[in-house]
Amino acid sequence: MTEEFNESMINEVEEGDKVKGTVQQIEDKHVVVHIEGGKFDGIIPISQLSTQHIENANEVVNIGDEIEAFVTKIEQNEESGHYILSKRKLDENLSYEKLQTILDNNETIDAEVTEVVKGGLVVDAGMRGFIPASLISVDYIEDFSDYLGKVLTLKVEELDQANNRVILSHKKVEQETLSTKKDEIMNNISQGDVIEGKVARIANFGAFIDLGGVDGLVHVSELSHDHVKSPEEVVKVGDVVKVKVRAVDREAERISLSIKDTLPSPFEVIDEKFSVGDTVTGKVVRLAQFGAFVEIAPGLQGLVHISQISHEHIGNPDEVLQRGQEVQVKILSIDKEEERISLSIKETIEQVNDFDESYLNQSDSDDDNPTLGDVFGDKLKNFKL
């Protein structure tokens, strides 16, 4: 009778069962739990106490706490016995069920970053989850240490309970957020708007400006009123700049921007630097058949008409000028409305005559005023009427 009774009591709790108990004792490497309706107490090794790595059991439980766990093994002898329990396995099962629901419904989960490891981040998602480096952010992240302790909103990328594998993505959340912002910006932005953005990247043809979810392009010709050879001369990655929207193509999702249009035109402030009649130094920037364009200040170019290049007659400006040459010019006129400047090189050069001016100062004489006789001589003597 006694043996049958003891056997029936032992069979009340079996391996694989889920049991409930109260924490009675906390040791360095395990926890003792009183099992409701069980013949023995339960022991939870520290490795089976949490889905996260812990050093001490009292990091996650206190005496008197109620705990549910799976029975993984029953150890007994003639006098006593105990159940080996796993709270971790139970928590993992519950977490997998929760994560599977989140994955099926395309929802998100918030999880704290508990470790920074080679190749990514470890998070507490109810169990140990991993975010590979490639799924952390849409931006390039050089140092992951700043993420430690942060709570991230994540998407479930992959679940494999058999191999205890949980892969999560923060990048996908960022992409969806950026996509929503991009749609808002594309629907609300208009030609002529002046807004702020951040220089995201630079190419040889211009700079891409992040407007808060969508990039717009400032062509190199729109970076400055001055001539720009390379965008790096004007901006660098990370700069916050003011831009004006020149064009919006919603179908192609393209936005053309200008920094130049937000800056004062050099002609607006030309009166502060130059006046008609001034003689200044400039540089020949372009030659045409009808004249030469000379830059007298960044963004300020004037035309030296071919007739104003030299006192001598020339057929083409390149006979006396070349691109890049520095020249002295006189400002003949300034038209601020039409943004035109007329210049003259000729008027800065003193005219030098190519003949002997002493002839102009000699007084009249008989030699200077010949008669008909002087011209025709003896021929008139033989002439008869």
Side-chain angles (χ1 to χ4, degrees):
M1 288 285 293
T2 302
E3 290 178 359
E4 290 178 1
F5 177 77
N6 288 339
E7 185 69 23
S8 65
M9 286 296 292
I10 291 172
N11 290 335
E12 286 180 2
V13 176
E14 298 179 348
E15 290 184 11
D17 286 352
K18 182 172 73 173
V19 296
K20 182 184 292 186
T22 304
V23 177
Q24 289 186 322
Q25 187 176 344
I26 298 177
E27 301 293 343
D28 289 341
K29 298 301 179 183
H30 69 272
V31 172
V32 179
V33 179
H34 173 68
I35 304 300
E36 295 179 4
K39 184 174 181 61
F40 311 121
D41 286 336
I43 293 177
I44 308 178
I46 191 171
S47 62
Q48 297 300 312
L49 195 55
S50 172
T51 57
Q52 301 297 318
H53 175 74
I54 58 174
E55 296 292 337
N56 299 299
N58 54 18
E59 292 179 26
V60 291
V61 295
N62 296 304
I63 293 176
D65 287 351
E66 287 192 350
I67 283 182
E68 288 186 327
F70 279 128
V71 178
T72 59
K73 189 176 182 181
I74 300 175
E75 295 183 348
Q76 62 173 328
N77 53 39
E78 294 181 356
E79 297 181 359
S80 64
H82 56 265
Y83 308 117
I84 303 299
L85 307 177
S86 174
K87 182 177 182 297
R88 172 179 175 173
K89 186 175 180 181
L90 176 63
D91 289 344
E92 286 178 348
N93 281 355
L94 295 174
S95 294
Y96 269 113
E97 291 176 7
K98 179 182 178 181
L99 292 172
Q100 187 64 55
T101 300
I102 290 172
L103 176 60
D104 294 341
N105 296 328
N106 194 30
E107 296 174 343
T108 60
I109 182 174
D110 291 335
E112 181 181 352
V113 178
T114 57
E115 293 180 65
V116 176
V117 297
K118 184 178 180 180
L121 305 174
V122 175
V123 299
D124 181 3
M127 59 178 302
R128 185 181 175 90
F130 183 62
I131 310 174
S134 61
L135 297 180
I136 292 176
S137 176
V138 293
D139 299 321
Y140 172 72
I141 305 298
E142 186 172 355
D143 184 6
F144 300 148
S145 61
D146 289 341
Y147 283 96
L148 186 63
K150 287 186 177 180
V151 176
L152 302 178
T153 300
L154 306 167
K155 286 271 190 177
V156 179
E157 190 76 15
E158 182 182 341
L159 280 179
D160 185 354
Q161 187 170 3
N163 293 303
N164 199 29
R165 180 181 174 87
V166 178
I167 304 299
L168 305 165
S169 173
H170 180 55
K171 179 178 180 179
K172 187 172 286 187
V173 174
E174 287 185 337
Q175 287 173 329
E176 292 182 359
T177 301
L178 289 174
S179 178
T180 300
K181 288 184 178 180
K182 184 175 183 178
D183 291 341
E184 291 177 358
I185 292 172
M186 293 302 301
N187 290 331
N188 295 317
I189 200 168
S190 300
Q191 182 178 348
D193 289 349
V194 176
I195 52 181
E196 280 193 348
K198 183 180 289 187
V199 180
R201 57 193 176 93
I202 295 175
N204 58 2
F205 52 83
F208 289 92
I209 312 299
D210 179 7
L211 303 177
V214 59
D215 286 352
L217 173 64
V218 179
H219 190 268
V220 65
S221 62
E222 292 298 324
L223 287 169
S224 172
H225 289 290
D226 196 6
H227 175 69
V228 178
K229 292 182 179 179
S230 173
E232 287 89 346
E233 297 175 9
V234 183
V235 294
K236 62 180 183 295
V237 173
D239 283 351
V240 176
V241 294
K242 187 177 290 185
V243 293
K244 185 174 183 178
V245 180
R246 293 179 59 84
V248 180
D249 186 339
R250 290 182 171 83
E251 290 186 4
E253 295 186 343
R254 292 177 182 172
I255 302 175
S256 298
L257 305 170
S258 174
I259 292 177
K260 181 173 72 175
D261 286 352
T262 68
L263 304 173
S265 164
F267 278 89
E268 293 178 31
V269 294
I270 191 172
D271 294 339
E272 299 175 7
K273 296 182 177 181
F274 303 107
S275 300
V276 173
D278 288 350
T279 297
V280 297
T281 301
K283 181 182 291 185
V284 178
V285 293
R286 185 159 63 92
L287 296 173
Q289 266 193 328
F290 52 84
F293 290 91
V294 176
E295 184 178 63
I296 60 174
L300 291 176
Q301 294 182 14
L303 172 65
V304 181
H305 190 268
I306 190 170
S307 64
Q308 292 294 325
I309 292 177
S310 174
H311 290 290
E312 298 178 359
H313 174 74
I314 59 173
N316 201 300
D318 61 12
E319 294 177 17
V320 292
L321 297 174
Q322 58 184 2
R323 188 174 178 180
Q325 180 180 346
E326 283 195 355
V327 292
Q328 291 288 308
V329 292
K330 184 176 181 179
I331 300 176
L332 301 180
S333 67
I334 298 174
D335 188 336
K336 293 177 66 174
E337 291 186 4
E338 296 295 328
E339 296 190 348
R340 292 177 180 173
I341 306 172
S342 295
L343 303 172
S344 174
I345 295 175
K346 182 172 71 175
E347 293 201 13
T348 67
I349 303 171
E350 184 178 353
Q351 184 174 5
V352 178
N353 294 321
D354 57 357
F355 57 87
D356 187 355
E357 293 185 4
S358 63
Y359 287 102
L360 299 176
N361 299 323
Q362 291 180 356
S363 59
D364 292 341
S365 65
D366 291 342
D367 293 337
D368 294 328
N369 298 282
T371 63
L372 288 175
D374 294 329
V375 175
F376 294 102
D378 295 338
K379 292 182 179 180
L380 288 176
K381 295 179 179 180
N382 299 322
F383 180 74
K384 295 179 180 181
L385 292 174

